[in-house]
């Protein structure tokens, strides 16, 4: 009877300890005495434990002691990063967002900003390679360029805008396209157009597998046709 009771008490205690590390939020600074970091059997992936058990829940870090400026938050499952990971700067702006599965990063988005707080660049990655939409902006919020990648190669719609100088010699987008076109598997493919500084069409044509294909047309900056040519 005593042995059964002892076993029940040990079981209850184990459950309490397990539950204490499940689905909770811990603070890196306040709880660091209970946090340990090791590596898995392959020695490649970090495993976070809380009070001796693989952690399940959310880990947070702050810039300040008052806990008003969030620096980082990470989701964990069984001690491995699993779910969302976010990093912020001291202005409260998101600098990095990643998604993880069983400790492996699946997707990552990076943000950089100008001193005035405007978004400068947005970059997206998947499995460590460029993947998805990339964007670049001026310090006034105007779009400078956008690009698309897939599995590390150019793939999708690309656009770049004409950049000029403001009175204070800083750069700004004129809002007029420099060029636009599409890539496929790292090569020019499909319709492409380029423009003069005044916004008039400079040339247009199509690519196939990285080479000019079919009819191309070129124009003067006054809009008049300069020449036509055809590619096979």
């Amino acid at each position: 009877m005593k042995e059964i009771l002892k076993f029940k008490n040990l079981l209850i205690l184990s459950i309490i300890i397990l539950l204490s590390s499940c689905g909770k939020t811990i603070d890196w600074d306040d709880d660091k005495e209970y946090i340990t970091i090791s590596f898995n059997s392959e020695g490649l992936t970090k495993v976070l434990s809380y009070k001796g058990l693989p952690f399940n829940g959310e880990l947070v870090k702050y810039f300040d002691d008052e806990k008003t400026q969030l620096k980082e938050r990470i989701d964990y499952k069984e001690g491995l990063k699993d779910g969302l990971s976010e990093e912020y700067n001291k202005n409260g702006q998101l600098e990095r967002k990643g998604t993880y599965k069983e400790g492996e990063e699946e997707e990552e988005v990076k943000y950089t900003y100008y001193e005035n707080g405007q978004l400068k660049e947005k970059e997206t990655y998947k499995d460590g390679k460029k993947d998805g939409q990339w964007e670049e902006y001026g310090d006034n919020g105007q779009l400078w360029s956008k690009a698309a990648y897939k599995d590390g190669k150019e793939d999708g719609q690309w656009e770049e805008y004409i950049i000029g100088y403001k009175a204070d010699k800083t750069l700004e987008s004129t809002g007029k396209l420099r060029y636009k076109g599409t890539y496929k598997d790292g090569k020019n493919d499909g319709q492409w157009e380029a423009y003069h500084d005044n916004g008039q069409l400079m040339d247009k044509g199509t690519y196939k597998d990285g080479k000019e294909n079919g009819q191309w047309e070129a124009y003067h900056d006054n809009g008049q046709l300069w020449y036509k040519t055809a590619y096979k």
Side-chain angles (χ1 to χ4, degrees):
M1 185 68 179
K2 289 182 179 180
E3 290 182 356
I4 295 175
L5 184 60
K6 183 178 180 180
F7 174 76
K8 286 183 177 180
N9 290 336
L10 287 173
L11 181 60
I12 291 171
L13 180 60
S14 298
I15 293 173
I16 291 173
I17 293 173
L18 180 62
L19 290 175
S20 68
S21 65
C22 291
K24 65 179 295 180
T25 297
I26 59 174
D27 185 294
W28 178 262
D29 292 318
D30 293 348
D31 299 298
K32 58 185 175 184
E33 64 179 299
Y34 305 111
I35 298 172
T36 57
I37 296 176
S38 57
F39 288 89
N40 64 357
S41 57
E42 290 79 19
L44 300 175
T45 306
K46 290 182 178 180
V47 179
L48 186 142
S49 297
Y50 180 70
K51 294 184 177 180
L53 294 171
F55 179 62
N56 292 278
E58 175 190 56
L59 172 69
V60 295
K61 298 180 182 180
Y62 292 90
F63 285 106
D64 58 328
D65 295 334
E66 291 75 25
K67 314 298 183 187
T68 60
Q69 288 184 296
L70 183 63
K71 182 179 182 180
E72 187 176 1
R73 63 162 303 278
I74 308 170
D75 292 328
Y76 282 88
K77 184 177 180 181
E78 295 299 320
L80 301 176
K81 291 183 179 180
D82 196 287
L84 191 61
S85 171
E86 297 174 331
E87 296 176 17
Y88 297 84
N89 61 27
K90 288 188 176 181
N91 295 324
Q93 295 167 313
L94 183 63
E95 286 192 331
R96 180 188 173 279
K97 178 170 69 175
T99 55
Y100 290 81
K101 182 71 174 179
E102 296 179 353
E104 298 294 328
E105 185 178 74
E106 294 186 324
E107 203 169 54
E108 179 184 32
V109 184
K110 293 181 179 179
Y111 304 87
T112 56
Y113 300 87
Y114 290 98
E115 290 184 359
N116 65 2
Q118 286 283 357
L119 178 64
K120 183 179 182 181
E121 292 176 323
K122 175 188 174 184
E123 305 172 354
T124 58
Y125 299 85
K126 188 174 183 180
D127 297 326
K129 298 178 181 180
K130 294 179 179 181
D131 196 284
Q133 191 77 31
W134 282 51
E135 298 170 358
E136 184 180 8
Y137 295 86
D139 60 5
N140 59 359
Q142 288 181 316
L143 180 65
W144 281 13
S145 65
K146 66 178 181 179
Y149 292 89
K150 185 176 181 181
D151 198 29
K153 296 180 180 180
E154 298 92 338
D155 197 287
Q157 182 74 24
W158 280 56
E159 293 180 5
E160 183 175 302
Y161 291 81
I162 298 171
I163 307 300
Y165 285 96
K166 295 187 288 187
D168 60 1
K169 304 300 182 181
T170 57
L171 296 172
E172 70 172 347
S173 171
T174 62
K176 299 174 182 177
L177 276 171
R178 169 68 69 194
Y179 69 80
K180 66 177 180 179
T182 57
Y183 283 93
K184 185 177 180 181
D185 197 29
K187 297 178 181 180
N188 303 64
D189 198 279
Q191 181 76 23
W192 277 80
E193 297 177 0
Y195 297 84
H196 291 284
D197 288 347
N198 63 1
Q200 288 284 352
L201 181 65
M202 181 186 293
D203 58 50
K204 68 176 181 178
T206 59
Y207 283 91
K208 185 176 182 181
D209 198 29
K211 297 178 181 180
E212 294 94 338
N213 183 268
Q215 181 168 293
W216 277 72
E217 300 175 358
Y219 295 84
H220 295 287
D221 59 6
N222 62 2
Q224 290 185 330
L225 180 66
W226 181 18
Y227 69 83
K228 292 182 179 181
T229 189
Y231 296 89
K232 293 183 179 180

